[in-house]
Amino acid sequence: MKDAHTPLEHARHALDTFEIPGRFVEIQAFGNGLINDTYVATFEAGSGSASYILQRINHHVFQDPASLMANVERVCHHIRYRLHLESEADLDRRCLSLVPTKEGASFTELHDNGSATYWRCFDFIQGCSSFDVVETPEQAYQAARKFGEFQRLVSDIGGCRLAETIPDFHNTPKRFQALVDAIAADPLGRVAGCQDEIEFALRHEAIAHHLLGLHARGLIPERVTHNDTKLSNVLIDDRSGEGVCVVDLDTVMPGLCLYDFGDLVRTCVSPVEEDSTDLTSIQVRMPVFRALARGFLKEMVRVLTPSETANLAFSGKLLTYEVALRFLTDHILGDTYFGAKRPDHNLQRARNQFQLVRRLEALEDEMNDYVDELVGMIANPEHRLPLAV
Ligand code: GN1
Ligand code: MG
């Protein structure tokens, strides 16, 4: 086949390398991810049609696609096995299934105009939706429960330590240093236009060191974590509203469990998306926070150490601060990581997230009190905890 030209033609070409039965019908772009390019493809086979998710792995971000895919294969396989042991009936919707290439590999490498691209393909999970903004506390509960279950299921994955697909991904002190370096370099002269955000970031540096400090003292262990637990990375059943499947396994690697709870708080409590410019709408919806704590603890309460539980509320502030540092750094360096759909997009994202840090800080005591209350109720053998919303 001749070299593909448009991204869609390229995707179509990649699709041909996978072992998919039936006749190709169509392919189109899918989802809102910032890093990988995602497509959905439909095929006609026998009695009906079947859909597939095709993804181009961003190998500038994930520099070792082979190790990444080895992680994904191991994690998918392990989750399926664990769910099978728990007698899960709906296995094909509860965990991702990779479609092998025609050569039996988990991903395909293509060359287009001299540069390599990497692709993988999953069965499409029918009857689900994903959301960028939580609509009800019930949805938050479902998402948190699913990510809690995910951690519980992968907690006993055997074999060697999973590969770090992005080294230091949630090393917030290093993210802080990257911002300091970007400010010093100021390659596009953007620093003058974001003094308030820089001042806020620098003044809050202590946030960056807290969890890794506890980890260094042995109070918070390393676990296998998802590391990108935004709300849109869990599929919710269209009919029952139940959490069905955790997706986007690219950053599953060794990490701290609070990174996962923290990113859930970051992406769920606010009623507006992370790039909304209406800063007055950014609030912490306490019923949503409470639902997240209930959902996550429902699965993880027996696994967590006291320091982990004591920092559930803090973790939301940490992850929000961290991504704000990353957005601000990317703005200063020219939007090369997250991309930008409009001028100052990453600065707007950073402003939004710093505002959320302020709101979370204001309610941190209230959130901690709720977590204490919840843990106390669970510890009481006679508790009748309203774990469901
Ligand atoms: C990116 O994978 P995606 O596009 O959903 C990023 C996350 C950020 C998020 C902010 C690998 O997520 O860390 O929290 O954007 N993923 C990577 O929306 O950098
Ligand atoms: Mg992701």
Side-chain angles (χ1 to χ4, degrees):
M1 187 170 176
K2 68 178 172 60
D3 275 353
H5 294 293
T6 68
L8 202 62
E9 281 168 354
H10 202 167
R12 175 75 188 88
H13 180 30
L15 192 65
D16 273 346
T17 67
F18 289 92
E19 186 65 56
I20 301 178
R23 185 181 63 82
F24 169 76
V25 179
E26 61 170 355
I27 181 165
Q28 48 189 289
F30 186 78
N32 294 332
L34 300 185
I35 305 297
N36 296 320
D37 298 332
T38 305
Y39 302 86
V40 61
T42 311
F43 283 69
E44 245 357 283
S47 51
S49 66
S51 300
Y52 300 87
I53 288 287
L54 175 75
Q55 273 187 318
R56 175 179 164 169
I57 302 168
N58 180 332
H59 66 281
H60 302 291
V61 169
F62 297 106
Q63 296 187 355
D64 183 354
S67 299
L68 181 155
M69 289 308 296
N71 276 5
V72 172
E73 269 190 290
R74 275 175 70 191
V75 168
C76 288
H77 186 266
H78 186 75
I79 290 182
R80 180 171 285 264
Y81 167 69
R82 284 292 311 270
L83 288 174
H84 171 71
L85 291 184
E86 292 182 8
S87 307
E88 169 59 55
D90 199 9
L91 268 186
D92 287 337
R93 292 176 79 239
R94 300 287 166 165
C95 54
L96 290 174
S97 303
L98 279 164
V99 177
T101 68
K102 288 176 176 158
E103 290 169 357
S106 62
F107 71 101
T108 213
E109 177 177 343
L110 291 183
H111 293 268
D112 184 45
N113 295 325
S115 62
T117 57
Y118 300 86
W119 301 80
R120 40 89 187 293
C121 185
F122 294 100
D123 287 337
F124 187 90
I125 298 180
Q126 298 288 350
C128 294
S129 303
S130 69
F131 299 86
D132 290 320
V133 174
V134 160
E135 288 160 4
T136 61
E138 171 66 23
Q139 258 178 6
Y141 173 83
Q142 291 294 336
R145 193 162 168 196
K146 214 63 209 168
F147 281 117
E149 181 197 72
F150 179 88
Q151 279 212 9
R152 186 173 61 69
L153 293 174
V154 294
S155 64
D156 61 347
I157 195 165
C160 57
R161 193 171 181 263
L162 288 176
E164 286 190 52
T165 58
I166 302 181
D168 294 321
F169 188 57
H170 284 308
N171 187 324
T172 322
K174 288 202 174 165
R175 298 292 190 184
F176 183 87
Q177 189 56 44
L179 173 65
V180 170
D181 294 346
I183 296 167
D186 194 15
L188 300 166
R190 290 183 174 180
V191 162
C194 43
Q195 285 302 312
D196 288 351
E197 292 71 28
I198 289 174
E199 191 269 328
F200 184 90
L202 299 182
R203 192 156 40 85
H204 284 76
E205 183 187 352
I207 298 176
H209 301 277
H210 182 59
L211 285 193
L212 286 177
L214 293 172
H215 175 60
R217 288 163 54 203
L219 296 171
I220 293 190
E222 178 180 284
R223 302 182 188 280
V224 175
T225 49
H226 182 282
N227 296 303
D228 190 9
T229 53
K230 54 205 257 186
L231 173 70
S232 55
N233 280 339
V234 57
L235 304 181
I236 307 275
D237 190 276
D238 290 335
R239 281 204 215 154
S240 67
E242 209 190 325
V244 173
C245 185
V246 165
V247 301
D248 190 354
L249 307 181
D250 296 330
T251 50
V252 177
M253 57 182 155
L256 306 188
C257 124
L258 293 171
Y259 297 152
D260 283 4
F261 186 74
D263 215 31
L264 265 171
V265 173
R266 175 183 87 77
T267 57
C268 290
V269 294
S270 172
V272 293
E273 290 184 42
E274 70 185 6
D275 61 357
S276 166
T277 53
D278 177 9
L279 297 188
T280 55
S281 320
I282 297 170
Q283 304 290 339
V284 175
R285 294 177 291 177
M286 278 305 287
V288 170
F289 175 81
R290 290 194 285 266
L292 291 174
R294 285 196 296 271
F296 199 71
L297 285 172
K298 167 91 178 158
E299 297 287 336
M300 290 293 285
V301 73
R302 282 173 191 82
V303 178
L304 299 182
T305 67
S307 288
E308 285 174 317
T309 336
N311 281 283
L312 284 168
F314 170 82
S315 71
K317 184 171 74 174
L318 172 73
L319 271 283
T320 310
Y321 175 71
E322 181 187 283
V323 87
L325 296 180
R326 296 173 64 197
F327 286 143
L328 186 55
T329 306
D330 202 34
H331 170 70
I332 294 171
L333 296 181
D335 310 304
T336 53
Y337 187 89
F338 290 109
K341 293 194 178 126
R342 50 184 190 250
D344 289 345
H345 200 166
N346 282 307
L347 179 58
Q348 290 161 0
R349 289 172 171 141
R351 273 189 192 132
N352 173 311
Q353 296 291 286
F354 282 135
Q355 179 65 6
L356 185 55
V357 170
R358 287 188 193 94
R359 298 279 184 227
L360 287 162
E361 202 153 50
L363 286 167
E364 203 167 327
D365 289 346
E366 197 179 321
M367 290 191 275
N368 276 324
D369 289 347
Y370 182 72
V371 171
D372 286 349
E373 199 186 313
L374 208 51
V375 172
M377 281 195 266
I378 296 171
N380 175 358
E382 287 178 19
H383 83 89
R384 293 218 178 270
L385 181 65
L387 275 176
V389 176

